Amino acid sequence: MSQIMVPVLATLFTLPFLAWYIVYIIIVKSTKKKGKAIRMAVDITTVFFIVAVHLLIKEISGQSFLWLIFLIILTTAVLFTIMHYRAREEVEFLRLMKGIWRFTFFLFTAFYILLVCYGWVNYLLSAFIA
């Protein structure tokens, strides 16, 4: 069983858009609701994007910046909590957590795209210049 799961998980962590698409298709087929499927796919695959960004940073720099990733998520959570409290004068925990988690998805999706582009450019430049 682990001989099948390890390559599948490695692929999904390396290509988180594929993980998002697979989750989206499964949820759409089971619920027939595209909006709900998009939100659930985002909620489920946020972890894949966070891990993918960590792996890309580690591959590009040779160092682990997991502490920085946690710091970014924590800072996002603090800022969202302050904004939520100022807007509503009361903190609705579940609503706040959904907002933080979904913003984290978009933030790490952007990081992932930037790091992939940087990696490609860096590789091409080193291949042609060296």
Side-chain angles (χ1 to χ4, degrees), residues 53-65:
V53 166
H54 170 66
L55 294 174
L56 283 171
I57 290 172
K58 194 170 181 178
E59 184 64 31
I60 290 170
S61 70
Q63 298 177 5
S64 174
F65 287 97

Side-chain angles (χ1 to χ4, degrees), residues 51-119:
V51 172
V53 166
H54 170 66
L55 294 174
L56 283 171
I57 290 172
K58 194 170 181 178
E59 184 64 31
I60 290 170
S61 70
Q63 298 177 5
S64 174
F65 287 97
L66 195 57
W67 63 272
L68 184 60
I69 290 172
F70 285 130
L71 186 64
I72 289 169
I73 294 170
L74 181 64
T75 304
T76 301
V78 168
L79 292 175
F80 264 72
T81 304
I82 292 169
M83 290 178 357
H84 187 79
Y85 180 74
R86 286 188 179 171
R88 298 192 180 266
E89 301 270 332
E90 178 180 322
V91 176
E92 298 172 39
F93 184 73
L94 289 177
R95 185 176 184 149
L96 177 65
M97 291 307 295
K98 277 185 187 178
I100 293 167
W101 195 244
R102 289 180 181 161
F103 182 78
T104 301
F105 171 82
F106 289 113
L107 187 66
F108 280 88
T109 300
F111 286 160
Y112 177 79
I113 291 168
L114 289 172
L115 287 169
V116 166
C117 291
Y118 174 80

